[in-house]
């Protein structure tokens, strides 16, 4: 994305320099999607209604209660680890038009990222876990409360559809030894409205995409995608690379950073109506752990992350290798995966050797 302030340093007046502090405060408010501003400008009896509606949009899951005490140790620093899950339902007429199924019931976890924010909270790294990764699922409680025994060689994305978000968190903690501090789940069908609310997201498409399955047809180069195109972009797999999930992961990571950058660049303070529309779309598509399941908690957390610039966020795929028994599946590659998780557990710099994935030749 083009820096609109580039090359203007010599023309900055003393008056504009004096306004730098307010600009920093504005940046912080942008990250919280202008929610606080919307509430302040609403006035009168509308304040409670607006707050209640946005607050009620957020769905919460009591992860801590479900997981109990048998968990990895917290980070030895003030760093944070988030599990960000993209849940995807292909049911409905809209999805049928996108080539996404239409008659498929239930939801799947098509995207999973462990986002590590080191101490200081000025940078972040996102580690994607391929959905086709074979894992050992620990003993977990099912939707009906019954305990399900541990099972080996389970495809990672099946854990969510079979046993829900708490078991996904438990599976990630067991496979990595990393304590997950917060859980955020984004419903892909809902985030389509968020993209439309902010006016689209610009991505630099790395290669021509002609995917009849997802309904996406794009030439290589920059494109501003609307909500429908964005949904197809994060879903496509047959139009990139070898058609596996590994190629799609790169597109999803790229789109996430582009989306965050676009939200951060919005002039939310200049348009309370647009701010509310964006906040409404964002909260409707969001499920969090109970510790973040309110506007106040989300706002406080967002402000604590104010120093993290999406443009500098590092994206890594969990190092994987093709499974010897089933070449359509992958397994964590060692010692690379172990080195990666060890660095996150100690809140230290991830070595380059831990980022190499045999399955992609990287």
């Amino acid at each position: 994305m083009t820096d609109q302030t580039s090359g203007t340093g010599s023309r900055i007046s003393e008056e504009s320099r004096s306004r730098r502090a307010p600009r920093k405060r504005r940046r912080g408010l942008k990250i919280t999607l202008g929610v606080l501003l919307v509430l302040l400008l609403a006035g009168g009896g509308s304040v409670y209604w607006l707050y209640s509606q946005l607050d009620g949009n957020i769905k919460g899951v009591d992860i801590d209660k479900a997981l109990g005490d048998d968990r990895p140790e917290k980070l030895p620093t003030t760093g944070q680890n988030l599990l960000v899950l993209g849940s995807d339902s292909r049911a409905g007429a809209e999805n049928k038009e996108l080539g996404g199924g239409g008659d498929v019931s239930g939801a799947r976890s098509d995207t999973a990222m462990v986002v590590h924010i080191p101490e200081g909270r000025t940078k972040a790294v996102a580690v994607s876990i391929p959905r086709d990764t074979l894992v050992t699922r620990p003993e977990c409680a099912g939707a009906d409360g019954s305990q399900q025994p541990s099972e080996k060689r389970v495809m990672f994305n099946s854990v969510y559809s079979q046993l829900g978000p708490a078991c996904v968190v438990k599976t990630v903690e067991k496979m990595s030894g990393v304590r997950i501090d917060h859980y955020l789940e984004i419903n892909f069908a809902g985030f389509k409205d968020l993209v439309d609310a902010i006016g689209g997201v610009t991505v630099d498409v790395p290669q021509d995409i002609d995917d009849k399955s997802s309904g996406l047809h794009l030439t290589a180069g920059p494109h501003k995608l609307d909500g429908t195109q964005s949904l197809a972009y994060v879903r496509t797999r047959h139009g990139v690379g070898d058609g596996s999930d590994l190629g799609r992961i790169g597109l999803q990571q790229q789109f996430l950073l582009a989306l965050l950058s676009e939200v951060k660049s919005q002039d939310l303070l200049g348009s309370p109506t647009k701010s509310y529309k964006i906040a409404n779309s964002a909260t409707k598509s969001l499920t969090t752990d109970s510790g973040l399941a309110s506007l106040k908690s989300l706002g406080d957390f967002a402000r604590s992350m104010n120093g993290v610039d999406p443009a500098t966020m590092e994206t890594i795929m969990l190092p994987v290798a093709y499974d010897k028994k089933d070449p359509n599946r992958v397994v964590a590659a060692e010692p690379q995966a172990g080195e990666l998780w060890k660095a996150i557990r100690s809140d230290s710099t991830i070595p380059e050797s831990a980022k190499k994935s045999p399955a992609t030749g990287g």
Side-chain angles (χ1 to χ4, degrees), residues 127-268:
V127 180
S128 289
I129 303 174
R131 68 175 195 168
D132 295 338
T133 305
L134 294 177
V135 299
T136 296
R137 190 200 69 213
E139 180 181 347
C140 288
D144 59 357
S146 62
Q147 289 295 120
Q148 301 298 315
S150 175
E151 186 175 349
K152 296 181 179 179
R153 293 180 60 80
V154 171
M155 198 163 78
F156 180 75
N157 81 324
S158 71
V159 178
Y160 176 90
S161 60
Q162 293 176 0
L163 295 174
C167 194
V168 178
V169 174
K170 190 171 186 178
T171 299
V172 171
E173 289 191 340
K174 288 294 184 182
M175 68 185 283
S176 66
V178 171
R179 172 77 171 235
I180 300 300
D181 299 294
H182 291 296
Y183 171 82
L184 291 92
E185 179 184 327
I186 303 168
N187 182 289
F188 278 165
F191 107 119
K192 181 182 82 68
D193 295 331
L194 172 60
V195 174
D196 286 333
I198 65 177
V201 173
T202 299
V203 296
D204 191 2
V205 180
Q207 66 183 72
D208 291 350
I209 297 177
D210 185 16
D211 189 350
K212 295 181 176 62
S213 179
S214 69
L216 187 66
H217 308 281
L218 296 171
T219 56
H223 290 269
K224 190 163 191 175
L225 307 182
D226 62 20
T228 299
Q229 292 171 314
S230 297
L231 182 57
Y233 193 74
V234 297
R235 283 178 172 175
T236 190
R237 63 186 294 179
H238 302 291
V240 292
D242 60 1
S244 72
D245 186 50
L246 304 184
R248 174 167 54 180
I249 284 176
L251 298 184
Q252 291 174 341
Q253 290 178 329
Q254 176 204 29
F255 185 85
L256 172 64
L257 298 184
L259 175 62
L260 291 174
S261 294
E262 187 64 46
V263 170
K264 202 165 188 177
S265 70
Q266 293 281 319
D267 184 19
L268 298 177

Side-chain angles (χ1 to χ4, degrees), residues 22 31 54 72 75 134 183 202 239 249 257 268 276 278 282 299 342 354 356:
I31 295 178
L54 292 174
L75 285 172
L134 294 177
Y183 171 82
T202 299
I249 284 176
L257 298 184
L268 298 177
Y276 179 77
I278 292 174
K342 181 180 179 181
K356 296 180 179 180

Side-chain angles (χ1 to χ4, degrees), residues 82-85 182-186 286-289 292 298:
L82 293 75
L83 178 62
V84 180
L85 214 64
H182 291 296
Y183 171 82
L184 291 92
E185 179 184 327
I186 303 168
L286 193 64
T287 299
T288 74
D289 63 276
L292 293 181
L298 275 176

